[in-house]
Amino acid sequence: MSELVPGGNLPLPGGAVSVQVPGPFDVSALITDDSGKVRGDADFVFYNQPSAPGARLHGHTLTVDPSGLRTGATKVTVVVSPADPGTPLGRLPAPTLLVTGQGGRLIARFAPPRPGQETVLLLAEIYRRGSGWKLRALGQGYADGLAGLARDFGVDVTEDSAATAAPHARSGAAPASPFPAPQRPATAPHQRAAAPPTPSTTPQHPSTAPRRPTAVPSTPDPDGFLGLVNSARARAGSPPVSLDARLTSAARAHACAMAAEGQLGVEGRDGVSVYQRVTATGFTYVTVGEHLVSGPRTPAEFVDYCLGSREPSRTLHDPAFTHAGLAYVTGGRSGDTYWTALWARPLTPQALARTAADVVDLTNRERAGAGLPPLAVDPVLTAAAQAHSADMIARAFYSHTSPDGSQPWDRAAAAGSTRRSIGENIACGQRSPAEVVEGWMNSPGHRANILKPTFTHIGVGFAGGGAAGTYWTQLFGA
């Protein structure tokens, strides 16, 4: 284990690394190329957008797989800020960066000089050097907060004259920014979508109108994977899963792609994410998870590996999953074995309705805690929200502004709404209603929409697929 000082660096081992900052902090990351600038929204990883190709945030742990980063990415900058926005870092325990490799082995520790009035700290950067990757300790603070940081990384920032914490908005529309103060670029499409459907006014993504449940195709299990998994799930008190031929087919396609490239990643060099491979088989889901691993030689070794790490174990045990698929391929330049395990619950009309109802319920609990009346479900706002979530997948973008320039209030009006004031929250990558509402409540701009006293109605949309896996929309009206 290396103890780093500001400016110190060390080579990283191959494969993914995990970054943690214990304590009352939020961890986020910016993905840049040689210019040092972000390309758009997809280059931010933070509590309300927890995944990007090659990077995923789960709780306080940021996992970075350099081989899976988007094309052209050469640096991932790790940022820490107080979990309570506006609190100077000097009032909190000194942040300490812990970097671990595969198997949980501690690689490096970095304790920067104690910050003063800074509210944001660049802790470290993971950067390409030749054919390998290195870690550099930074410890650079920003007294002007995330707005100053965003400007340096190429984000157009718009701040209210009243210096409020939330970005500017029109008619209560939610800010698109992942940070409390800066405004993100108006449109930030995902960079590499796989043959999206032809754009239309009302996209016909399968998640927009879920189909009736159909018979689940069976798949053989010659390696005994299912028995190993369900034994582990039973010990954790979780119900068994069934193997699904479509998930197995998607897993095989992704494992083959990783083996051909000789690297792990949620998104292949062909620009196709593992989630897009799932929906391409006809399997639509209400929640999804994945294990992407290289090295184990047998399914038993693969399951043992998953059970030996906290986050992989949580996915394998997750009671929300009902179906699974597994594939592994040996080959490529390295001769390693590449594994893809997929976990999902099929999307049905009932599951979609339950997911939306849970988001509404959690939102109203937050309002009740603030002494505000509950929001009533509006079918028109629900239709507009659902269409926007599906559209973000169909046209490969993530923004409040659609590629045709329409804004939330435009989409609400087009759906038939006559409400005077409209607001919108969006998010991508979260796996459950609880996770997405928690993310919104941790973001000042989105929290402001949820707790806006004048809003009276709500609609919720959800769609699975695309580069991020899940896309959520809240549409508010008054």
Side-chain angles (χ1 to χ4, degrees):
M1 191 272 289
S2 297
E3 190 81 30
L4 296 179
V5 298
N9 63 77
L10 80 161
L12 290 173
V17 295
S18 295
V19 174
Q20 290 181 309
V21 184
F25 305 106
D26 282 333
V27 178
S28 53
L30 300 106
I31 301 169
T32 57
D33 49 29
D34 289 337
S35 71
K37 305 295 183 182
V38 299
R39 286 186 179 178
D41 284 8
D43 281 346
F44 290 104
V45 177
F46 68 109
Y47 47 74
N48 207 37
Q49 183 172 288
S51 64
R56 175 162 177 83
L57 180 65
H58 193 289
H60 296 287
T61 301
L62 173 71
T63 301
V64 178
D65 179 6
S67 65
L69 294 171
R70 65 163 172 81
T71 302
T74 57
K75 185 184 297 182
V76 178
T77 302
V78 180
V79 181
V80 67
S81 56
D84 181 14
T87 301
L89 287 168
R91 296 182 185 176
L92 301 175
T96 299
L97 178 77
L98 303 175
V99 182
T100 57
Q102 292 186 355
R105 182 177 65 87
L106 186 61
I107 299 172
R109 180 180 182 273
F110 174 49
R114 188 178 183 86
Q117 293 303 308
E118 294 92 339
T119 55
V120 177
L121 193 65
L122 304 189
L123 272 183
E125 57 188 19
I126 296 168
Y127 64 99
R128 183 193 297 274
R129 179 56 56 90
S131 60
W133 289 80
K134 302 184 75 175
L135 172 74
R136 178 184 291 121
L138 297 176
Q140 175 187 351
Y142 281 77
D144 54 348
L146 289 164
L149 170 69
R151 291 188 189 96
D152 281 1
F153 281 83
V155 179
D156 294 329
V157 178
T158 302
E159 296 178 274
D160 294 340
S161 59
T164 59
H168 76 284
R170 172 184 172 190
S171 298
S177 176
F179 297 141
Q183 179 73 26
R184 285 204 234 169
T187 305
H190 290 284
Q191 299 300 318
R192 302 184 302 279
T198 303
S200 61
T201 304
T202 306
Q204 297 301 310
H205 186 273
S207 295
T208 304
R211 296 170 294 184
R212 293 288 179 185
T214 57
V216 176
S218 61
T219 185
D221 183 24
D223 298 304
F225 171 69
L226 189 63
L228 294 168
V229 165
N230 283 335
S231 293
R233 288 174 65 88
R235 291 192 296 270
S238 299
V241 294
S242 301
L243 287 180
D244 184 278
R246 295 162 297 179
L247 292 178
T248 299
S249 175
R252 183 177 299 108
H254 200 71
C256 286
M258 292 192 300
E261 296 164 10
Q263 63 181 21
L264 299 173
V266 171
E267 183 174 300
R269 289 181 181 175
D270 56 2
V272 182
S273 76
V274 67
Y275 315 115
Q276 289 167 315
R277 298 190 201 279
V278 171
T279 54
T281 68
F283 190 108
T284 55
Y285 55 80
V286 73
T287 188
V288 68
E290 73 284 336
H291 286 122
L292 309 177
V293 178
S294 66
R297 294 163 296 177
T298 66
E301 288 185 8
F302 172 80
V303 172
D304 285 343
Y305 168 83
C306 293
L307 293 175
S309 301
R310 185 179 64 176
E311 294 306 324
S313 176
R314 182 180 300 176
T315 298
L316 190 149
H317 289 144
D318 194 332
F321 297 133
T322 58
H323 294 81
L326 174 77
Y328 56 97
V329 175
T330 301
R333 295 186 295 273
S334 66
D336 290 338
T337 301
Y338 289 83
W339 298 76
T340 299
L342 295 171
W343 315 84
R345 176 186 290 271
L347 182 72
T348 64
Q350 295 79 13
L352 180 60
R354 187 182 311 112
T355 296
D358 286 347
V359 172
V360 173
D361 180 61
L362 291 166
T363 298
N364 281 333
R365 290 187 196 180
E366 298 292 348
R367 288 177 64 88
L372 297 171
L375 301 172
V377 174
D378 183 324
V380 175
L381 295 180
T382 298
Q386 183 63 35
H388 188 58
S389 288
D391 192 27
M392 287 191 286
I393 292 175
R395 293 199 276 181
F397 73 100
Y398 175 69
S399 177
H400 295 289
T401 304
S402 297
D404 58 11
S406 63
Q407 300 288 342
W409 44 92
D410 301 319
R411 295 189 291 269
S417 176
T418 58
R419 300 197 177 278
R420 301 184 308 277
S421 179
I422 293 293
E424 183 180 80
N425 286 346
I426 58 174
C428 65
Q430 293 81 2
R431 305 296 172 88
S432 69
E435 187 178 345
V436 74
V437 173
E438 180 183 9
W440 280 325
M441 288 300 294
N442 286 333
S443 169
H446 302 88
R447 177 187 178 97
N449 265 351
I450 288 174
L451 301 183
K452 188 169 183 177
T454 56
F455 282 146
T456 57
H457 290 76
I458 187 174
V460 173
F462 167 85
T470 56
Y471 292 77
W472 306 78
T473 302
Q474 277 183 320
L475 203 56
F476 303 91

mmCIF file of all heavy atoms in Angstrom, residues 254-263 269 329 331-333 338:
data_model
loop_
_atom_site.group_PDB
_atom_site.id
_atom_site.type_symbol
_atom_site.label_atom_id
_atom_site.label_comp_id
_atom_site.label_asym_id
_atom_site.label_seq_id
_atom_site.Cartn_x
_atom_site.Cartn_y
_atom_site.Cartn_z
ATOM 1 N N HIS A 254 -22.241 -10.058 -24.965
ATOM 2 C CA HIS A 254 -21.361 -9.088 -24.307
ATOM 3 C C HIS A 254 -20.038 -9.729 -23.905
ATOM 4 O O HIS A 254 -18.977 -9.106 -24.018
ATOM 5 C CB HIS A 254 -22.054 -8.486 -23.089
ATOM 6 C CG HIS A 254 -21.444 -7.192 -22.663
ATOM 7 N ND1 HIS A 254 -21.584 -6.024 -23.385
ATOM 8 C CD2 HIS A 254 -20.659 -6.880 -21.592
ATOM 9 C CE1 HIS A 254 -20.941 -5.057 -22.780
ATOM 10 N NE2 HIS A 254 -20.354 -5.541 -21.695
ATOM 11 N N ALA A 255 -20.087 -10.978 -23.434
ATOM 12 C CA ALA A 255 -18.844 -11.670 -23.092
ATOM 13 C C ALA A 255 -17.960 -11.837 -24.325
ATOM 14 O O ALA A 255 -16.731 -11.673 -24.251
ATOM 15 C CB ALA A 255 -19.163 -13.028 -22.463
ATOM 16 N N CYS A 256 -18.563 -12.150 -25.462
ATOM 17 C CA CYS A 256 -17.797 -12.272 -26.708
ATOM 18 C C CYS A 256 -17.151 -10.950 -27.089
ATOM 19 O O CYS A 256 -15.994 -10.911 -27.518
ATOM 20 C CB CYS A 256 -18.707 -12.758 -27.833
ATOM 21 S SG CYS A 256 -19.170 -14.503 -27.747
ATOM 22 N N ALA A 257 -17.912 -9.852 -26.931
ATOM 23 C CA ALA A 257 -17.374 -8.536 -27.273
ATOM 24 C C ALA A 257 -16.190 -8.183 -26.374
ATOM 25 O O ALA A 257 -15.176 -7.654 -26.843
ATOM 26 C CB ALA A 257 -18.467 -7.475 -27.152
ATOM 27 N N MET A 258 -16.309 -8.482 -25.076
ATOM 28 C CA MET A 258 -15.207 -8.177 -24.166
ATOM 29 C C MET A 258 -13.992 -9.040 -24.468
ATOM 30 O O MET A 258 -12.848 -8.563 -24.437
ATOM 31 C CB MET A 258 -15.664 -8.364 -22.715
ATOM 32 C CG MET A 258 -16.700 -7.357 -22.253
ATOM 33 S SD MET A 258 -16.984 -7.373 -20.451
ATOM 34 C CE MET A 258 -17.550 -9.072 -20.193
ATOM 35 N N ALA A 259 -14.205 -10.313 -24.771
ATOM 36 C CA ALA A 259 -13.086 -11.205 -25.078
ATOM 37 C C ALA A 259 -12.374 -10.765 -26.358
ATOM 38 O O ALA A 259 -11.136 -10.795 -26.434
ATOM 39 C CB ALA A 259 -13.584 -12.640 -25.211
ATOM 40 N N ALA A 260 -13.139 -10.346 -27.358
ATOM 41 C CA ALA A 260 -12.542 -9.900 -28.614
ATOM 42 C C ALA A 260 -11.687 -8.652 -28.414
ATOM 43 O O ALA A 260 -10.652 -8.478 -29.072
ATOM 44 C CB ALA A 260 -13.635 -9.640 -29.643
ATOM 45 N N GLU A 261 -12.120 -7.787 -27.489
ATOM 46 C CA GLU A 261 -11.388 -6.546 -27.232
ATOM 47 C C GLU A 261 -10.311 -6.719 -26.173
ATOM 48 O O GLU A 261 -9.437 -5.864 -26.012
ATOM 49 C CB GLU A 261 -12.363 -5.452 -26.787
ATOM 50 C CG GLU A 261 -13.373 -5.083 -27.855
ATOM 51 C CD GLU A 261 -14.554 -4.300 -27.286
ATOM 52 O OE1 GLU A 261 -14.470 -3.903 -26.112
ATOM 53 O OE2 GLU A 261 -15.527 -4.089 -28.016
ATOM 54 N N GLY A 262 -10.407 -7.828 -25.398
ATOM 55 C CA GLY A 262 -9.443 -8.047 -24.337
ATOM 56 C C GLY A 262 -9.605 -7.096 -23.172
ATOM 57 O O GLY A 262 -8.635 -6.774 -22.486
ATOM 58 N N GLN A 263 -10.830 -6.636 -22.899
ATOM 59 C CA GLN A 263 -11.048 -5.711 -21.787
ATOM 60 C C GLN A 263 -12.488 -5.791 -21.307
ATOM 61 O O GLN A 263 -13.404 -6.103 -22.070
ATOM 62 C CB GLN A 263 -10.719 -4.278 -22.187
ATOM 63 C CG GLN A 263 -11.601 -3.728 -23.300
ATOM 64 C CD GLN A 263 -11.218 -2.310 -23.687
ATOM 65 O OE1 GLN A 263 -10.098 -1.873 -23.425
ATOM 66 N NE2 GLN A 263 -12.128 -1.586 -24.307
ATOM 67 N N ARG A 269 -16.484 -1.425 -27.608
ATOM 68 C CA ARG A 269 -15.957 -0.474 -28.591
ATOM 69 C C ARG A 269 -16.915 -0.231 -29.736
ATOM 70 O O ARG A 269 -16.798 0.752 -30.455
ATOM 71 C CB ARG A 269 -14.618 -0.988 -29.128
ATOM 72 C CG ARG A 269 -13.491 -0.908 -28.106
ATOM 73 C CD ARG A 269 -12.179 -1.396 -28.699
ATOM 74 N NE ARG A 269 -11.106 -1.342 -27.710
ATOM 75 C CZ ARG A 269 -9.878 -1.802 -27.928
ATOM 76 N NH1 ARG A 269 -9.585 -2.362 -29.088
ATOM 77 N NH2 ARG A 269 -8.959 -1.716 -26.977
ATOM 78 N N VAL A 329 -16.615 -16.566 -22.087
ATOM 79 C CA VAL A 329 -15.887 -16.822 -23.322
ATOM 80 C C VAL A 329 -14.400 -16.724 -23.022
ATOM 81 O O VAL A 329 -13.956 -15.775 -22.371
ATOM 82 C CB VAL A 329 -16.264 -15.801 -24.419
ATOM 83 C CG1 VAL A 329 -15.401 -16.002 -25.656
ATOM 84 C CG2 VAL A 329 -17.735 -15.928 -24.774
ATOM 85 N N GLY A 331 -10.686 -16.429 -24.726
ATOM 86 C CA GLY A 331 -10.055 -16.108 -25.999
ATOM 87 C C GLY A 331 -9.517 -14.695 -26.000
ATOM 88 O O GLY A 331 -9.199 -14.129 -24.957
ATOM 89 N N GLY A 332 -9.453 -14.136 -27.185
ATOM 90 C CA GLY A 332 -8.915 -12.793 -27.305
ATOM 91 C C GLY A 332 -7.400 -12.796 -27.186
ATOM 92 O O GLY A 332 -6.738 -13.835 -27.152
ATOM 93 N N ARG A 333 -6.837 -11.601 -27.114
ATOM 94 C CA ARG A 333 -5.375 -11.462 -27.087
ATOM 95 C C ARG A 333 -4.772 -12.055 -25.816
ATOM 96 O O ARG A 333 -3.684 -12.601 -25.828
ATOM 97 C CB ARG A 333 -5.011 -9.983 -27.210
ATOM 98 C CG ARG A 333 -5.412 -9.372 -28.544
ATOM 99 C CD ARG A 333 -4.895 -7.957 -28.645
ATOM 100 N NE ARG A 333 -5.519 -7.081 -27.669
ATOM 101 C CZ ARG A 333 -6.666 -6.440 -27.853
ATOM 102 N NH1 ARG A 333 -7.311 -6.605 -29.005
ATOM 103 N NH2 ARG A 333 -7.177 -5.649 -26.935
ATOM 104 N N TYR A 338 -13.727 -14.315 -19.982
ATOM 105 C CA TYR A 338 -14.553 -13.134 -19.714
ATOM 106 C C TYR A 338 -15.979 -13.579 -19.416
ATOM 107 O O TYR A 338 -16.582 -14.334 -20.185
ATOM 108 C CB TYR A 338 -14.523 -12.179 -20.913
ATOM 109 C CG TYR A 338 -13.187 -11.497 -21.073
ATOM 110 C CD1 TYR A 338 -12.147 -12.149 -21.722
ATOM 111 C CD2 TYR A 338 -12.953 -10.231 -20.549
ATOM 112 C CE1 TYR A 338 -10.899 -11.542 -21.853
ATOM 113 C CE2 TYR A 338 -11.722 -9.621 -20.671
ATOM 114 C CZ TYR A 338 -10.698 -10.278 -21.322
ATOM 115 O OH TYR A 338 -9.468 -9.680 -21.435
#
